[in-house]
Amino acid sequence: MRVLIVEDEPNLGQQLKNTLEGAGYAIDLAVDGEEGHFLGSTENYDAVVLDLGLPEIDGLTVLDRWRKEGKVMPVLVLTARDSWSDKVAGLDAGADDYVAKPFQSEELIARLRALIRRASGNASSELTAGDIRLDTRSGKVTRAGEPVKLTAQEYKLLSYLLHHKGKVVSRTELIEHIYDQDFDRDSNTIEVFVTRIRKKLGQDVITTIRGLGYSLEDPDA
């Protein structure tokens, strides 16, 4: 999953980036409201972590502009501690949730996971397709109860397909959502990762839709 962080405080921004990358997310970091608004308007993100007190353009204005532009990605706003007015203003502007500073990294990650799940129509923290299970909390994958070891990129690809189970996902969409903006988007690594996942989980787990992309179906559907 690809997440945009918009945070002007250098240490906190880098800390958030490192923490979320460690949790398996592809991260882009913007350091002011103007850059954040541009990235959120031109790139595809599964979620955004947005500070409200930003230079150039404040966070509420950035959020309001995104919503008026029709951008529907989940947005988690960072607010000052005990500032109920910031929380209300953020939610009214279109935020989906908030975390007050200072916060625990575990709470922020849990809230992000929940936002991304709900945005894709998944209520549970466990994503399933037949006997395949992916636990978004622990990052563990099993098939028929047996653990399956995936690389970080294989996990990201499988997770995205499970979040969008039953839908055809193009190669371009996969690249946009599992890599940050600096990745070489002409790479053929998606095909490599799909092949590796099939070897580990079964040849029938991911279907290639010629000319369109890939689909992961529930065999019981």
Side-chain angles (χ1 to χ4, degrees):
M1 297 293 163
R2 188 177 175 198
V3 175
L4 171 65
I5 298 171
V6 190
E7 171 58 62
D8 65 306
E9 203 285 303
N11 290 336
L12 179 56
Q14 192 60 49
Q15 178 188 343
L16 285 169
K17 185 176 188 293
N18 293 342
T19 297
L20 292 179
E21 285 179 339
Y25 295 96
I27 302 299
D28 292 333
L29 175 61
V31 297
D32 60 57
E34 185 174 355
E35 181 185 16
H37 172 255
F38 175 77
L39 287 175
S41 298
T42 58
E43 299 286 339
N44 293 314
Y45 293 101
D46 296 288
V48 177
V49 178
L50 176 67
D51 189 20
L52 295 186
L54 296 169
E56 305 297 337
I57 308 173
D58 68 87
L60 287 177
T61 301
V62 170
L63 179 54
D64 184 61
R65 290 181 181 180
W66 282 337
R67 294 315 190 209
K68 287 179 178 176
E69 292 165 359
K71 295 295 181 180
V72 298
M73 67 281 195
V75 175
L76 176 69
V77 298
L78 304 180
T79 70
R81 183 173 58 181
D82 298 330
S83 178
W84 64 266
S85 59
D86 281 351
K87 299 171 186 176
V88 171
L91 293 171
D92 282 345
D96 298 274
D97 200 356
Y98 64 84
V99 172
K101 299 179 182 179
F103 53 82
Q104 295 295 322
S105 298
E106 292 81 2
E107 178 187 5
L108 185 138
I109 292 172
R111 289 181 179 273
L112 267 183
R113 282 199 303 257
L115 288 179
I116 292 171
R117 287 199 312 267
R118 289 199 295 267
S120 59
N122 295 287
S124 172
S125 61
E126 186 176 73
L127 306 176
T128 66
D131 60 0
I132 296 172
R133 300 284 187 275
L134 184 152
D135 190 326
T136 60
R137 295 168 300 182
S138 66
K140 294 180 180 179
V141 176
T142 62
R143 180 160 198 182
E146 295 297 320
V148 178
K149 187 174 182 179
L150 301 179
T151 67
Q153 297 301 343
E154 291 165 3
Y155 176 89
K156 290 178 183 179
L157 192 150
L158 178 65
S159 175
Y160 192 83
L161 290 176
L162 281 169
H163 273 90
H164 299 83
K165 184 172 62 176
K167 300 177 182 178
V168 178
V169 179
S170 70
R171 177 178 172 275
T172 299
E173 182 178 347
L174 284 169
I175 290 173
E176 287 178 342
H177 286 268
I178 69 173
Y179 294 110
D180 60 38
Q181 66 182 129
D182 296 326
F183 180 74
D184 176 11
R185 297 188 177 184
D186 291 329
S187 171
N188 67 348
T189 53
I190 295 298
E191 288 82 355
V192 173
F193 293 144
V194 168
T195 298
R196 291 178 181 173
I197 291 171
R198 284 172 173 159
K199 288 181 179 179
K200 295 178 180 181
L201 293 175
Q203 292 299 317
D204 58 344
V205 65
I206 299 174
T207 302
T208 299
I209 311 299
R210 190 171 300 277
L212 296 176
Y214 301 97
S215 178
L216 193 154
E217 304 282 347
D218 194 327
D220 299 326

